[in-house]
Structure formats: C-alpha cells, structure tokens
Amino acid sequence: MTEKYKIRVQDGKLIVPPHVYIPYITGDGVGSEIMPVCKDVVNVAVAKAYGGKRSVIWKEVYAGERSFIKYGNRLPDETLWTLEKCIVGIKGPLTTPVGGGIRSINVTLRQKLDLYVCLRPIRWFRGVSSPLREPHKVNMVVFRENTEDIYAGIEWDKNTPEAIKFAHFLQKELHVTNIRFPDSSAFGVKPVSEEGSKRLVRAAIRYAIENHLPNVTLVHKGNIMKFTEGGFKRWGYEIAQEEFGDKVFTMAEYERIVNMQDDINAAKEALNEAKKNGKVIVKDVIADAFLQNTLLKPEEYSVIATLNLNGDYISDQLAAMVGGIGIAPGANINRITGHAIFEATHGTAPDIVGENRANPSSLLLSAVMMLEYIQWNEAAKLIIDAMEQCYAEGNATPDLSSGMPNGKNLTTTQFHKILIEKIYPDRDLSTT
C-alpha cells in the first residue's frame, strides 16, 4: 500500500490525506447486499462535497465466512495487519456461533486492536415508528467498555480439567462455600480493571465536554458486584474529579456535601450552580433502574458510560426505543492510538439473504460516524440529511416502512437509488 494514502496519527490527532485508504470487511449474510450500497453512497457524498479533491480508496479485507471460503481462516493475519496500518476501517455483520466453535470475530477484532470504546449513538429520526409516545426525547451516546468483563472470554465448560481445577481452587484455597452445584458448574471470570474503567470514563467525559452535553451517567451493578462493577463506579468518579476539575460536578461531591454539612439544600444549591455554569454532571445509576428510567424519563440522560455486558443490553434496548437495531450505528475506537472500526450493529439476517430487502441504514449511519471521525463532516452531513428526508417521506426498507403511516416498502436497490438522488440530484452519470 502506498504510504501517502494512509491515515497517520500525530500528537494524538489523525492526519488524513485527501485520497485515503479505507479497508472494509463485506461481512456475512446480508453484508454482501448492504456493503456495496454503503460504499457507493459514501463515494457519491464525498464527490458532491469535495468535487473530486477528496476520495475514498476502498480496500477489501476478509473475515468471517467469505474469508473461510477464500483462505480457510475466518480472521487472517493480513486483515488485522491492514486494519492496524490503515487506522480506520468499516465492516458489515459477521456470524457469531452460539455454543462451541470459534469465538466472536467482532470481539477478537476489538481485543487485538485494543478498541476499548464501543460507541453507540442513539437518536430518533422523524417518520420512524417507535413504541414510545415521545421518541424525540431519546438522544444518548453509549460508551460501552469493549475489552474486559465477561467478554474477555475467560471461561471453562463443566467437567473439563480446567473447570475441576478452578472449582477445587475456589473451594480449597479461597474457602468459597456458595457454589451450589460445583460438580456440574461451568465457570467464567469477569475481569474489571481500574485502568480499563478509567480510560473508558475519561473518553466519555471528554466527549461530553467537547460536544457541550449536560451529563455523563455511570451505569453499573455495583450493589451486587461490589469490587468489579462497584469498582467501575468508584474509579469513574475518581477520574472525573482527578482529571477534569472544575469542568465537571460529580454526584459523589453532592453526597460529600450532604454527609459533611448534613445539609441537602447546600448540595442541591451546588448542583444547580454547576448546571448553571455549564459543568458536566457526572452521576451513576444501577443498571436495572437505568433500563426503567430510559423508558420513563429518557431526556435525563445524554452520555452513558458502562461495562461490556451492561452496554450490550443497554444499546439494544435504546435502539428498540427509536425504531430498532436496523438504524443503530456503532464504532469500536481506541481514543489513544486512533484506531477505529465502524460497523453495522445488527446480525447477518440469514432469513432475508438474497431477497433485496436488507436495510443498509445501520451501516450507512456508521459510515457517517466514520466520515465525522476523519473530519469529512460535509460529506457526512449530506448522507444524514438524505436519510432524514427518506424516513420523513416514508421511504424505507420493509423493516421500517411497515410501521410508518406513509411507509413505502422499498427494496434495498430502490432505497439506495433514492438516497443517491437526494445526495447528488444533479450528478452527471456519464462521468461515473
């Protein structure tokens, strides 16, 4: 690959050439139907925004079933090498088997490249059907820790030598007595580190400050898992107070004022003053209460920082509240090295493969995030504006249009064509 087309990182910032390599993984199932749409829409938006002065040079790399057919390997070393060297990439959905067999390729990519932030913005688009009466109140960004928790994959099946040895160690060495059925138990280990927690919360707070958002909520289950999830909460408050000073006001400080002064009014006054001065409020909530609160008062939350498993559940529920995972974008990012993989957040949808009705919206919105990440904001805005117009007019694939009052059941091809027309209505097709 020619060096002049590669993104570089300098002093913590991306240096993006005007003509840039972007590696892509087509994905399994409907990936072969939605990735071509994504690439074409990005190409057209970039051409419209910059008149040929910028372009994406797409480079296919392989993972999943396509890779296994081509190379006999579901995640070749070359794919990891290319994603590492090119810094930014995008991928379609990949199959994750349930039970035995290979572990998740998605998880492996995140861990190999240390993509510790799973970034999931959740918002409602006018025209999209929602189970909520007021879906416009849902506007959150989820920072899900991506490399620890049970997704670290440390587990042993029942009756294996490792499980037997682990059970023996727990019972004989650590004197654990509350394993109900040790002889038939599988075991998993849930690592949650101070370093991993702090870098995730740091990224969430910085995002809130940079985007002038009112609050960051640490979502955890620390009332039960006091040293892992409870540690996440404690370390999150510590990083807020140690590194962000007068840019934030934490609810830990609120509680300190209440306890020291025995005066809840003084604490409320301090909180109101912080809000008045534009400080980011850092608070926390138990995970199950949070899931309830997002349905009852979603407007109270803007940026969410949470652990891996909680983040999985939370992201999908929030997506369902605004119309479904089909319009939920996502990214996996290392905020230190700059590496990022943007992705469709849904599955491979094997039941509709080849039927020309797959919804490319999740991947397209992830491509918007990618363009924003490399600071090609004009092209990103063209795509998002076109998609908003489509939804408002009822133009969508059947998974969305079936719930729209004015919905038109479009094929993937038809939706693709309408998007292109809205992005670049005066395009000279003879030159493409």
Side-chain angles (χ1 to χ4, degrees), residues 23-27 35 60-63 79 83 90-92 94 109:
Y24 70 94
I25 298 169
T26 297
M35 183 58 77
E60 184 169 19
V61 293
Y62 289 85
T79 294
L83 290 167
I90 190 166
K91 58 176 282 296
L94 293 169
L109 287 169

Side-chain angles (χ1 to χ4, degrees), residues 20-39:
V20 61
Y21 283 131
I22 298 291
Y24 70 94
I25 298 169
T26 297
D28 300 327
V30 295
S32 59
E33 298 172 56
I34 63 175
M35 183 58 77
V37 174
C38 175
K39 289 163 52 188

